[in-house]
Amino acid sequence: MCDKHPTPSSDDWNYMRTEHLNHILDSLPSLEQNYWQDGYTTGIHNAWIRTVRRSGRNFHIDRSKKNRPYITLKDSADDPIGVVTPWNVPTCTKTAGRICQNKVKTQEILHTAGINVPWYQVFGPDEADEAFDTAFAQGRREVVVKAPSFSQGLGVFLNVTEQDFKDRFQECVEMQKERKREPSVIVQEMVDGFELRVTIVEGEFFGSIVRIPAYVTGDGTHNIEELMSLKNEERQKDRARSKRLLRRNANMEAFMRSNSLSFSDIPEAGERVLLSAISNISFGAETANITDIISEEIRDTAVRAVAAIPGLYTGGVDIMVRSLKDDMPRVLEVNSFPHATSFIYPTYGESINPIAHYLDSYYAQHKFAKGKEENFSSKEKQLLSSRHDFCKLKLQLFPTED
């Protein structure tokens, strides 16, 4: 019997293939895993609260009726200077938040700014036939069908073929109607490669994480199911993964069948075998800090993507690449409130905290804006200089109205 799992969102599905898995793991400086114990916390909001508290800065927390935290940041005089909401940081404008929620608008802005994005086209709810002809007219075998204004992967369908296109198209329309949205449908090309998350903090490249779906490494003796059990023994040593073990479930079994794999197969020694297309830690995924090994083009593309969005200074950029040294990355999505826990608790690589970096930059900006102090540390000067340069980049990317 298959164990039950939470339902994955479409954002959790990964394009990764075995050659991508090998490329990533073989590129890491070390395959030594981290084991998080004391101090581990789940959830982005808990990470914010803990980081603010540990910074020693003044703050206050209010809770909504749904118990969502609103963190009021305060200066040394205990005066409020900004609020971290459940959805946005203080430097993110409402305009930026709305744009990032609208996938069509985001794509249009990025394309206008000269940033490489996948081909896409928007269709009305009654244009399924036209959308079908357009989607597969140039030899495309699979496309992505998605709603323009949902988040967390809702209304996103990957690997849509000619056979199921119209069903997925209509399902996307109905999901929007059920939520009282004016329906329209984005049809987008399926891009070869795998997905990275790059985080920009107040205009400065901070780091990059890759999420790796569940896999096992063969020893030439044990079969796949036995290797899963052995790996689970290791996962139980880590508080971040101890309750998220590798388990047989419907999604895993479907992936195995589609790749002609059986749980009784015995992989060769050193052979890595992907078990899933789902890159959520609840389904056995792992994360790797790849900050120091990605190409300058990937870094620059992420910075420019955030710069292109009016009112956005801190964001998470989902980028599709063919390798960690890709010189032609393509931006899939920009998020105005990037998650931090994958950076703080990676499976592989150094722990880094984007929230702490944000706080340092935000308080340096507040100190500078007050105009009452002349003494700035070298770090504060560097943070202010980075944001100043980023503002100049934003101006370069915005269209000129004459």
Side-chain angles (χ1 to χ4, degrees):
M1 181 178 294
C2 297
D3 290 328
K4 293 183 178 180
H5 263 297
T7 303
S9 77
S10 297
D11 278 352
D12 295 327
W13 294 88
N14 205 297
Y15 305 78
M16 193 173 293
R17 299 194 300 269
T18 301
E19 56 263 38
H20 300 142
L21 171 69
N22 289 328
H23 166 67
I24 292 166
L25 294 178
D26 291 341
S27 298
L28 296 178
S30 171
L31 289 178
E32 182 178 353
Q33 296 191 18
N34 297 314
Y35 296 96
W36 305 104
Q37 301 297 335
D38 295 337
Y40 172 75
T41 184
T42 59
I44 179 61
H45 299 119
N46 288 336
W48 265 96
I49 293 169
R50 174 167 291 182
T51 303
V52 176
R53 182 177 289 122
R54 287 180 172 177
S55 76
R57 297 181 173 98
N58 297 331
F59 70 100
H60 174 76
I61 299 175
D62 293 302
R63 296 274 180 176
S64 69
K65 291 181 179 179
K66 295 184 178 180
N67 202 36
R68 291 171 175 159
Y70 289 75
I71 308 169
T72 299
L73 304 176
K74 298 182 176 184
D75 61 17
S76 57
D78 211 36
D79 294 325
I81 62 173
V83 179
V84 180
T85 74
W87 303 278
N88 279 323
V89 295
T91 51
C92 176
T93 66
K94 291 182 179 180
T95 297
R98 285 194 294 266
I99 290 172
C100 291
Q101 289 175 357
N102 187 317
K103 296 178 178 64
V104 175
K105 186 65 174 176
T106 300
Q107 293 279 73
E108 289 175 351
I109 289 174
L110 295 177
H111 179 72
T112 300
I115 295 165
N116 201 15
V117 296
W119 169 86
Y120 73 97
Q121 191 166 329
V122 184
F123 297 91
D126 300 320
E127 296 179 325
D129 290 338
E130 180 184 346
F132 177 90
D133 293 338
T134 303
F136 301 103
Q138 297 183 10
R140 299 185 188 94
R141 296 182 178 181
E142 296 179 327
V143 294
V144 180
V145 172
K146 58 185 179 181
S149 59
F150 289 158
S151 61
Q152 300 299 315
L154 185 65
V156 180
F157 303 91
L158 304 178
N159 302 101
V160 179
T161 64
E162 294 184 30
Q163 288 69 35
D164 58 0
F165 178 85
K166 292 184 179 179
D167 288 339
R168 299 292 83 79
F169 188 99
Q170 191 58 39
E171 188 174 349
C172 186
V173 170
E174 294 303 321
M175 289 180 70
Q176 294 173 76
K177 288 182 177 178
E178 289 172 2
R179 291 161 178 80
K180 303 188 185 305
R181 305 285 180 89
E182 188 68 29
S184 60
V185 178
I186 301 173
V187 179
Q188 178 182 296
E189 68 174 307
M190 281 286 299
V191 183
D192 182 47
F194 57 97
E195 187 177 330
L196 309 180
R197 163 58 66 89
V198 182
T199 292
I200 308 302
V201 177
E202 293 304 283
E204 187 175 11
F205 168 80
F206 177 77
S208 182
I209 285 285
V210 61
R211 297 189 301 176
I212 305 168
Y215 75 95
V216 293
T217 302
D219 58 9
T221 302
H222 296 91
N223 64 33
I224 289 177
E225 189 150 26
E226 292 168 339
L227 291 170
M228 289 170 59
S229 296
L230 292 172
K231 192 163 190 177
N232 281 337
E233 292 179 12
E234 288 297 309
R235 291 179 74 89
Q236 287 175 328
K237 299 176 183 178
D238 178 16
R239 190 174 173 188
R241 293 175 287 157
S242 61
K243 295 182 180 180
R244 301 172 175 92
L245 304 179
L246 303 182
R247 302 183 191 279
R248 291 181 61 163
N249 57 65
N251 288 309
M252 182 181 288
E253 291 184 346
F255 179 87
M256 298 276 284
R257 285 194 302 270
S258 68
N259 287 275
S260 302
L261 294 170
S262 168
F263 289 97
S264 61
D265 292 344
I266 301 177
E268 296 180 5
E271 179 186 358
R272 298 177 182 123
V273 182
L274 270 176
L275 305 177
S276 175
I278 303 171
S279 57
N280 187 302
I281 191 172
S282 295
F283 289 80
E286 300 171 355
T287 57
N289 181 343
I290 53 171
T291 298
D292 296 330
I293 58 176
I294 60 174
S295 67
E296 286 297 325
E297 288 82 3
I298 295 173
R299 293 180 177 219
D300 181 66
T301 296
V303 171
R304 290 172 61 83
V306 173
I309 307 296
L312 189 65
Y313 298 86
T314 291
V317 186
D318 294 332
I319 296 183
M320 184 64 66
V321 299
R322 294 161 296 178
S323 77
L324 298 175
K325 299 300 183 183
D326 199 336
D327 60 358
M328 286 289 289
R330 292 203 261 187
V331 175
L332 300 177
E333 193 167 314
V334 180
N335 303 275
S336 60
F337 191 59
H339 283 206
T341 50
S342 293
F343 286 96
I344 301 173
Y345 307 111
T347 310
Y348 305 99
E350 180 186 2
S351 170
I352 54 178
N353 191 334
I355 300 172
H357 194 76
Y358 179 87
L359 291 172
D360 288 342
S361 180
Y362 185 67
Y363 275 88
Q365 293 171 50
H366 173 70
K367 179 178 176 179
F368 183 79
K370 285 177 65 177
K372 295 181 180 180
E373 299 185 52
E374 297 179 354
N375 296 321
F376 291 86
S377 68
S378 58
K379 181 177 182 179
E380 288 173 327
K381 288 182 178 180
Q382 181 267 318
L383 292 169
L384 292 169
S385 178
S386 294
R387 198 174 194 277
H388 175 71
D389 291 342
F390 185 71
C391 289
K392 291 194 293 185
L393 175 61
K394 290 182 84 72
L395 289 174
Q396 293 172 10
L397 293 176
F398 290 167
T400 302
E401 296 181 2
D402 293 322

